[in-house]
């Protein structure tokens, strides 16, 4: 029998552990014992499993940057004692947390797998059991003494996605997640199949965490009815440092002078960074395809290439907290740090 690996299960909340309130259909988070009681199979897994639970489990819609820091600190405190980590988390903000942790956990060389479910663990048709059991198996999968997935990933409904490439696409299907610009890292059927050529190499540096995330950021989705007053009001917000600009198609926006002037002034006078990503789920920003995209680049807007909104926002928050020079902030935003972009 293979030696057991040690896995730390971190329970933060989410539908997975929720129960209906008495005399109502409203779901609220419940304590970890609820999960343990409903998965007797946990005892049968050939891994040693310890658990840590948030004292107040959260619906993940209530997750804030301080909770990412809390998760990162739990992993830091326990890093040496465990071979892998599984974070049980609501699906609503799972892609934000996975993206944030992918940057905050520096020099990661162990698996950190986030999972959750669409139906609570106590529900007869729950998807929670398979998601938890396979996530634990993935977190404990080692080959020649090295973990197969030494990165932050999301496991949901038979697929493992890179955390900072994933996004929630469905409110009610069991396969709620996808990573449209990067193929899955593994799939689960009768056997677990790892696509090793897609998995990040293990880091050889010393593990540490970044426990600062700059929150002076904004996501701004361009739409045809956006006015100059609305745009200016948003950009006049005190202390604003970074904007994720969700543009159309391959990175296009209005070429009206009022729009370009407001962005130009925000960059030059207020020193705000803008990163251009697409409202489309799939594909990359091609800023020189149309004049409308090129004008943004000429103003100094950063090319976000094929970043998800979740990855663009959290990467910006992470890098803004590092006090980099403008030049290295822009350079680092435009190249892959943790496999979050292709180019
Ligand atoms: N609202 C829930 C949450 O994100 C949904 C889920 O867990 O899937 O916590």
């Amino acid at each position: 029998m293979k030696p057991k690996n040690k896995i730390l299960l971190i329970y933060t909340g989410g539908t997975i552990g929720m129960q209906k309130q008495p005399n109502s259909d409203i779901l609220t988070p419940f304590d970890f014992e609820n999960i343990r009681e409903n998965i007797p199979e946990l005892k049968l897994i050939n891994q040693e499993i310890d658990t840590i639970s948030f004292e107040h489990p959260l619906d993940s819609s209530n997750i804030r940057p301080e909770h990412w820091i809390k998760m990162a600190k739990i992993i830091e405190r326990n890093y040496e004692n465990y071979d892998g980590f599984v974070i049980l988390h609501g699906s609503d903000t799972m892609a934000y947390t996975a993206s944030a942790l992918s940057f905050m956990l520096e020099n990661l060389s162990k698996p950190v797998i986030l999972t959750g479910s669409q139906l609570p663990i106590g529900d007869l048709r729950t998807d929670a059991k398979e998601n938890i059991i396979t996530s634990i198996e993935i977190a404990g999968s080692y080959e020649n003494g090295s973990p197969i997935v030494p990165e932050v990933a999301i496991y949901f409904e038979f697929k493992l996605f890179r955390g900072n490439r994933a996004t929630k696409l469905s409110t009610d299907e069991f396969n709620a997640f996808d990573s449209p610009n990067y193929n899955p890292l593994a799939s689960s059927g009768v056997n677990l199949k790892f696509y090793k050529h897609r998995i990040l190499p293990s880091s050889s540096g010393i593990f540490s965490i970044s426990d600062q995330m700059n929150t002076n950021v904004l996501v701004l989705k361009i739409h045809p009815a956006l006015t100059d007053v609305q745009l200016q009001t948003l950009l006049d917000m005190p202390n604003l440092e970074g904007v994720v600009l969700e543009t159309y198609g391959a990175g296009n926006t209005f070429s009206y002078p009022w729009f370009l002037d407001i962005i130009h002034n925000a960059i030059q006078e207020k020193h705000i960074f803008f990163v251009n990503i697409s409202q489309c789920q799939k594909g990359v920003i091609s800023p020189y395809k149309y004049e409308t995209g090129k004008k943004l680049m000429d103003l100094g807007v950063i090319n976000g290439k094929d970043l998800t909104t979740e990855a663009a926002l959290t990467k910006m928050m992470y890098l803004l907290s590092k006090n980099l020079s403008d030049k290295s902030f822009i350079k680092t935003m435009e190249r892959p740090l943790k496999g979050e972009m292709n180019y």
Side-chain angles (χ1 to χ4, degrees), residues 14-15 18 58-61 90-93 117-118 168:
T15 298
M18 288 191 189
L58 295 166
D59 184 305
S60 81
S61 315
S91 61
D92 287 347
T93 59
S117 67
Q118 292 281 57
K168 184 174 177 181

Side-chain angles (χ1 to χ4, degrees), residues 6 14 27 59 64 70 79 104 130 148 153 155 169 178 209-210 214 237 241 254 258 266 272 275 283 291 303 310 324:
K6 282 186 76 178
L27 288 166
D59 184 305
R64 308 272 311 156
K70 192 166 162 172
Y79 195 73
M104 296 164 76
E130 201 283 323
I148 298 181
Y155 180 76
L169 285 187
D178 198 1
I209 64 162
S210 176
N214 186 320
M237 201 178 302
E241 291 178 62
F254 309 109
W258 63 262
I272 295 172
V275 62
E291 199 194 12
N303 183 351
E310 296 90 331
L324 303 171

Side-chain angles (χ1 to χ4, degrees), residues 23-142:
N23 308 321
S24 121
D25 275 342
I26 306 239
L27 288 166
T28 47
F30 206 67
D31 64 28
F32 186 76
E33 277 316 304
N34 182 39
I35 295 187
R36 200 192 289 281
E37 277 163 24
N38 278 285
I39 324 187
E41 294 90 342
L42 280 179
K43 290 197 206 82
L44 302 176
I45 299 180
N46 187 36
Q47 319 272 14
E48 211 179 305
I49 303 164
D50 290 334
T51 49
I52 286 188
S53 174
F54 273 20
E55 37 316 347
H56 302 294
L58 295 166
D59 184 305
S60 81
S61 315
N62 280 324
I63 289 277
R64 308 272 311 156
E66 58 263 31
H67 299 113
W68 301 334
I69 294 168
K70 192 166 162 172
M71 289 177 226
K73 285 189 171 167
I74 292 175
I75 292 174
E76 183 187 37
R77 271 201 309 278
N78 292 283
Y79 195 73
E80 290 311 319
N81 293 329
Y82 291 90
D83 302 299
F85 300 85
V86 173
I87 302 181
L88 302 182
H89 193 291
S91 61
D92 287 347
T93 59
M94 191 182 289
Y96 286 95
T97 297
S99 297
L101 289 179
S102 76
F103 302 116
M104 296 164 76
L105 303 176
E106 295 173 345
N107 293 316
L108 184 67
S109 61
K110 294 187 180 180
V112 174
I113 313 297
L114 287 96
T115 196
S117 67
Q118 292 281 57
L119 284 176
I121 189 81
D123 195 289
L124 201 56
R125 294 180 53 251
T126 189
D127 50 331
K129 271 192 193 185
E130 201 283 323
N131 283 349
I132 297 188
I133 290 170
T134 305
S135 295
I136 293 172
E137 199 157 311
I138 291 170
S141 289
Y142 272 61

Side-chain angles (χ1 to χ4, degrees), residues 252-261 291-296:
N252 309 308
T253 52
F254 309 109
S255 51
Y256 300 124
W258 63 262
F259 180 81
L260 298 171
D261 284 349
E291 199 194 12
T292 44
K294 180 184 173 297
K295 284 194 168 158
L296 272 190

Side-chain angles (χ1 to χ4, degrees), residues 6 22 64 93 102 106 131 156 163 172 195 199 201 215 218 221-222 234 244 250 276 279-280 291 304 318:
K6 282 186 76 178
R64 308 272 311 156
T93 59
S102 76
E106 295 173 345
N131 283 349
F156 224 88
D172 55 2
Y195 306 110
I199 298 174
T215 54
L218 193 70
K221 186 168 184 158
I222 303 296
L234 285 168
V244 175
N276 185 6
Q279 292 176 17
C280 301
E291 199 194 12
Y318 169 78

